[in-house]
Amino acid sequence: MGKLVVREVIGTTSASTPDKAKPFLDELCDAIDSKRTTSVDFSGLSTITTAFLNNSIGRLYSLYDVSELNKYIKLDASSLTPFQKEKVQMVMKNTKQKLSQEEIKGEID
């Protein structure tokens, strides 16, 4: 299993903006496209914003099936503070709900 250290990918301890999310998203996509199981390590980050998470982890849900995400991307929860973990869970939950609502709307229209 490969390891992806977010701090090293974005080059800072502040995961705060959508532009910082792009290289992280690219690495995640590369891992999935290569069918490489990857552990994501958030250690050393002082800040993780929902803008960063929405533009990285959140975007994955519109690009890949949940089964692929679960198979290849493993979030290392032990590398997150309790507050950061809540943010990650909130973004994942909101993204899944939004996609479900869009699928339902598409079926109705």
Side-chain angles (χ1 to χ4, degrees):
M1 177 182 310
K3 184 175 184 178
L4 183 62
V5 181
V6 179
R7 177 180 32 82
E8 292 175 4
V9 172
I10 65 173
T12 181
T13 60
S14 180
S16 57
T17 61
D19 62 307
K20 295 226 184 301
K22 177 77 170 97
F24 177 49
L25 174 64
D26 291 345
E27 290 287 332
L28 294 170
C29 290
D30 183 55
I32 296 166
D33 292 342
S34 301
K35 301 187 182 321
R36 187 175 64 244
T37 303
T38 302
S39 173
V40 180
D41 183 338
F42 293 92
S43 62
L45 293 176
S46 58
T47 304
I48 303 176
T49 66
T50 53
F52 176 86
L53 293 170
N54 283 327
N55 284 282
S56 55
I57 294 172
R59 288 262 338 264
L60 287 177
Y61 285 91
S62 64
L63 300 171
Y64 300 95
D65 291 334
V66 173
S67 61
E68 283 182 292
L69 296 178
N70 291 337
K71 183 174 183 178
Y72 297 114
I73 303 299
K74 310 294 182 192
L75 302 181
D76 181 359
S78 69
S79 67
L80 292 160
T81 67
F83 183 66
Q84 291 171 338
K85 186 176 179 181
E86 285 179 24
K87 280 187 182 179
V88 171
Q89 290 172 331
M90 178 187 70
V91 165
M92 291 171 70
K93 179 182 173 189
N94 289 345
T95 300
K96 289 176 188 176
Q97 285 178 340
K98 180 181 176 198
L99 290 174
S100 294
Q101 290 171 354
E102 287 174 2
E103 288 170 1
I104 291 169
K105 185 178 181 204
E107 290 177 4
I108 294 172
D109 289 343

